[in-house]
Amino acid sequence: LDENSPAVVHKEENINLSASATSDCRSIPRLDRSSPHLLVLGTGCATPAPLRGSSAYGLMMPTMTASPNGDFSNTLVLSAIIECGEGTLTSLHRHLPLDGLDPGIDASRSRLDMQLRHVGFVWISHAHLDHYGDLPNVVQAITNAKLVNWHETRLGCREQNTKEASPLLVIAPKKVLKYLDMVMSVGSRTDQGNEFSHRPRQRCLDYVGVSHREFEFSPFAEHARAILYQYNLLLPRTQPSATSSLSISNCLATKPYRPFALLRHVEVEHCQEAFAMILELRYADDGVPNSLNEDSNFVLCFSGDTRPSSQLVRRCRSYPTSRNRDKLGQHHYRRPPSLSQPWLPPSTPPQISLLIHESTFLNDSQGRVDAMKKRHSTSAEALDIARQVNAKACLLSHFSQRYRHVSIHDAIASPLSSSSVDHHNESADPMRSSAVIVAKNTYPFHWGIALDGMIIPLTHSGLSKLFDLSRCVDALMGLNSENPGHLA
């Protein structure tokens, strides 16, 4: 927060922002170009709202890219998109950070196009429109961006050490894939002259669709698995001089790395073909890329929409064991392509580094009833799942639009205390402020509340600030709310 901002100064005349919340806001780490980040694009459900769009997340991985003058430097590129609710493309326009992005942006290409050409896969949890409504637009934009990059490379407009465009992988339920194929094929036939609706048919520029079960078990999905596991980026530098640039000759000696080590799917209780995902990144919790030693890989678990799932808990808790078995090759159809170097079983298998769990409803009487009826989870149930899977951090997301804002206290409050308390101004109730402080130490992991536009470093130091980041958001929402209250 800028403490000299006129808006903040004016608001502080009327509302006393607690000193602890202010210090929390100042302690949020800055964007690190050498570490992976999670870009939160949409945290709402059912229908979009001004503060919460439909479900969508972006995974930004570090790499090295060329600037127009030929120098290479560390940058973050959009490597994967998880969920594509309505307005995802607009959210990318709105929330993609300026700092840490591809320095090779020229005036004729938007920064969004330059990011979309790096996307390796899109993942959809289930066939509800608030999770795949914008999928055709996103896939079309990605294939167009890859097509332009492919032509530039073929014509010699880009350096040859830029990696060749690979096909986009779409992992989704069969119903969603059928819908995507229908929309894309109709657009190709009816609008041949429109560049925004042209579906490129070149060998390396088309998209490949596969269902969750096919990706897991089918021997005919080996090509789809290869797209994911062979996706590669240039290994970024982690030295203190990482902000400086490299010449092309020096960059040629930089080794590539494959950021996606393993992907697993877990069927959950919500609707037909509803799945959660467990994605292992070849990156350590301290932000250092792993090549041969994968003891400390970062493991991301995304629940999708679900009731508290015992199957998800079981798979997460047994993930290190099953992961070792798959890596050693006992499951042929699940084994990812081997790296150029031999793989060694980790001495300490990785646990879930970050659990992104839906918490559609709060833990009040009406919320619990609606969660059971609509097969969703409450905030208390989501935190309990994080405790059961022994996650290092948990991010609550996918909130009902009946709530204007979900604060830290809202997520942990008991039904009796949540009806009579100021939900935004901590200083209005000392008991509430102390309860929030106690809540930080109640759970044996770091946790926080997701909000559209958040950029979260996927490192131990970054995730340790989740609670402080959420308190910062609560303070801002209190400053910008004339009539505090959590119900819309």
Side-chain angles (χ1 to χ4, degrees):
L1 288 177
D2 184 1
E3 59 183 5
N4 297 320
S5 172
V8 173
V9 172
H10 174 71
K11 288 293 183 180
E12 284 183 339
E13 294 176 356
N14 302 317
I15 300 178
N16 181 23
L17 182 63
S18 65
S20 59
T22 305
S23 62
D24 292 341
C25 298
R26 292 172 179 168
S27 63
I28 304 302
R30 296 182 62 84
L31 202 62
D32 181 7
R33 297 186 182 190
S34 61
S35 300
H37 287 68
L38 176 72
L39 174 61
V40 181
L41 299 170
T43 59
C45 67
T47 57
L51 291 180
R52 296 190 184 276
S54 296
S55 185
Y57 308 84
L59 190 58
M60 305 190 71
M61 298 300 297
T63 186
M64 299 188 70
T65 55
S67 61
N69 60 8
D71 292 333
F72 281 75
S73 59
N74 285 4
T75 187
L76 294 172
V77 293
L78 187 65
S79 301
I81 297 176
I82 303 172
E83 308 283 41
C84 278
E86 306 99 313
T88 297
L89 209 56
T90 301
S91 296
L92 283 169
H93 272 288
R94 181 180 301 166
H95 297 308
L96 271 175
L98 293 175
D99 181 33
L101 292 185
D102 194 334
I105 298 177
D106 53 52
S108 62
R109 300 277 302 282
S110 72
R111 61 189 179 96
L112 178 60
D113 289 338
M114 296 293 289
Q115 287 292 310
L116 290 178
R117 66 184 177 89
H118 292 284
V119 176
F121 75 97
V122 177
W123 189 90
I124 308 297
S125 63
H126 63 285
H128 283 171
L129 198 63
D130 59 319
H131 292 258
Y132 75 92
D134 215 24
L135 181 61
N137 292 331
V138 171
V139 170
Q140 189 66 77
I142 293 173
T143 54
N144 286 340
K146 288 178 178 288
L147 178 64
V148 172
N149 182 67
W150 181 77
H151 280 309
E152 288 181 347
T153 304
R154 290 290 297 272
L155 295 174
C157 301
R158 299 183 65 86
E159 297 296 335
Q160 294 300 317
N161 54 359
T162 302
K163 74 181 185 72
E164 184 179 358
S166 59
L168 173 68
L169 177 64
V170 179
I171 305 174
K174 290 183 178 180
K175 177 181 177 180
V176 176
L177 294 175
K178 183 177 180 180
Y179 163 76
L180 177 62
D181 288 340
M182 180 185 66
V183 173
M184 299 295 282
S185 61
V186 169
S188 298
R189 291 197 304 266
T190 59
D191 298 315
Q192 291 291 339
N194 188 341
E195 62 173 342
F196 294 103
S197 59
H198 170 65
R199 182 184 180 188
R201 292 289 180 178
Q202 283 83 355
R203 173 187 58 82
C204 63
L205 298 174
D206 208 349
Y207 68 85
V208 175
V210 63
S211 69
H212 306 91
R213 289 193 181 94
E214 290 172 341
F215 185 90
E216 285 281 313
F217 303 109
S218 174
F220 303 104
E222 190 66 33
H223 174 57
R225 289 187 288 269
I227 293 175
L228 176 66
Y229 296 130
Q230 294 179 2
Y231 175 89
N232 64 85
L233 298 169
L234 289 179
L235 193 66
R237 290 174 298 156
T238 56
Q239 290 81 4
S241 60
T243 55
S244 61
S245 58
L246 278 178
S247 65
I248 294 180
S249 59
N250 291 333
C251 187
L252 289 175
T254 302
K255 297 181 179 180
Y257 78 104
R258 295 173 179 174
F260 305 127
L262 208 59
L263 175 63
R264 290 290 172 265
H265 297 106
V266 184
E267 193 164 9
V268 294
E269 180 186 351
H270 181 62
C271 64
Q272 187 176 9
E273 284 194 278
F275 287 85
M277 71 179 293
I278 303 175
L279 177 64
E280 182 177 339
L281 302 178
R282 198 165 278 111
Y283 242 85
D285 284 348
D286 57 3
V288 178
N290 294 330
S291 55
L292 179 60
N293 181 11
E294 301 185 355
D295 290 18
S296 57
N297 276 358
F298 190 96
V299 183
L300 172 68
C301 178
F302 179 77
S303 71
D305 286 8
T306 179
R307 287 291 296 148
S309 172
S310 59
Q311 184 170 347
L312 179 61
V313 172
R314 184 168 58 253
R315 287 292 298 273
C316 287
R317 293 183 68 90
S318 65
Y319 170 74
T321 303
S322 61
R323 175 247 201 196
N324 293 351
R325 181 175 63 248
D326 295 341
K327 283 279 191 174
L328 289 173
Q330 296 182 18
H331 288 230
H332 173 71
Y333 298 142
R334 292 186 176 186
R335 187 179 70 250
S338 59
L339 300 176
S340 57
Q341 296 173 321
W343 180 86
L344 299 177
S347 55
T348 305
Q351 67 184 97
I352 301 300
S353 305
L354 173 63
L355 170 65
I356 305 175
H357 202 287
E358 72 116 298
S359 53
T360 307
F361 300 103
L362 298 182
N363 188 37
D364 53 27
S365 57
Q366 186 60 46
R368 291 194 297 272
V369 170
D370 289 341
M372 289 287 293
K373 180 181 179 181
K374 301 179 180 180
R375 296 187 177 183
H376 284 290
S377 301
T378 66
S379 54
E381 290 171 334
L383 291 172
D384 187 59
I385 291 295
R387 191 204 304 268
Q388 292 183 48
V389 303
N390 195 27
K392 296 180 180 179
C394 178
L395 183 67
L396 303 183
S397 186
H398 195 270
F399 301 101
S400 171
Q401 302 292 11
R402 71 177 63 173
Y403 310 115
R404 180 175 58 190
H405 172 63
V406 177
S407 68
I408 286 288
H409 184 269
D410 293 331
I412 61 172
S414 65
L416 294 178
S417 64
S418 61
S419 59
S420 60
V421 58
D422 184 341
H423 289 267
H424 291 280
N425 190 0
E426 290 184 8
S427 60
D429 188 348
M431 295 296 294
R432 177 182 184 275
S433 180
S434 61
V436 170
I437 295 175
V438 171
K440 184 176 182 179
N441 302 320
T442 300
Y443 298 96
F445 50 83
H446 306 293
W447 66 281
I449 310 293
L451 185 67
D452 293 20
M454 278 186 174
I455 305 172
I456 302 172
L458 299 183
T459 61
H460 176 74
S461 59
L463 295 178
S464 66
K465 297 293 184 180
L466 277 179
F467 195 89
D468 297 337
L469 178 61
S470 298
R471 292 193 67 197
C472 179
V473 172
D474 292 346
L476 288 173
M477 293 300 296
L479 289 174
N480 290 283
S481 176
E482 298 297 333
N483 300 302
H486 73 294
L487 292 179

